[in-house]
């Protein structure tokens, strides 16, 4: 019963315009320029993490500047901005759904209904 409701919710989310926009915007990661920049940024982040193990003995300022420059390049790509916008809108909707679901669960817990039901099934 609960899984049917969850599946219905998933299907409803997939029909929302913000999900469709997000899904369409994922194409940005197929652009050669974006792939290249992301690969370089990931490599630099890994290098920075490796150097961070040595603590104050290694200066990662130059690496951070290079990472920042790559981010600026990524943000200058219109398709990347469309992706970030769609991602933000989808997350807002999912946050709203989570709030609704957990507020209702919290109300039920406060009333003691779910706790008693859980206790029965967990034995």
């Amino acid at each position: 019963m609960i899984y049917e409701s969850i599946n219905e919710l998933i299907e409803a989310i997939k029909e929302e315009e913000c999900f469709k926009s997000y899904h369409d915007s994922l194409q940005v990661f197929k652009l050669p320029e974006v792939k290249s920049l992301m690969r370089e940024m990931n490599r630099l982040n890994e290098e920075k993490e490796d150097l961070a193990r040595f603590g104050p003995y290694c200066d990662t300022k130059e690496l951070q500047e290079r990472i920042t420059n790559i981010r600026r390049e990524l943000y200058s790509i219109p398709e990347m901005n469309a992706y970030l916008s769609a991602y933000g809108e989808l997350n807002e909707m999912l946050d709203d759904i989570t709030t609704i679901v957990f507020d209702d669960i919290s109300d039920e817990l406060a009333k003691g209904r779910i706790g008693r039901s859980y206790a029965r099934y967990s034995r």
Side-chain angles (χ1 to χ4, degrees), residues 53-96:
R53 291 184 307 186
F54 300 106
Y57 303 108
C58 291
D59 184 17
T60 59
K61 186 177 178 180
E62 181 185 327
L63 281 173
Q64 185 57 52
E65 286 176 16
R66 290 169 56 194
I67 291 168
T68 300
N69 289 336
I70 290 173
R71 279 197 181 114
R72 283 188 186 122
E73 279 186 70
L74 284 168
Y75 295 154
S76 72
I77 300 170
E79 294 88 351
M80 181 58 76
N81 287 318
Y83 161 76
L84 293 170
S85 176
Y87 179 76
E89 287 179 34
L90 178 62
N91 271 328
E92 282 181 34
M93 183 186 71
L94 294 175
D95 284 345
D96 290 345

Side-chain angles (χ1 to χ4, degrees), residues 88-115:
E89 287 179 34
L90 178 62
N91 271 328
E92 282 181 34
M93 183 186 71
L94 294 175
D95 284 345
D96 290 345
I97 291 170
T98 300
T99 299
I100 292 167
V101 169
F102 283 102
D103 277 351
D104 286 348
I105 289 173
S106 295
D107 289 347
E108 291 298 315
L109 283 172
K111 294 174 186 172
R113 293 181 201 160
I114 290 179

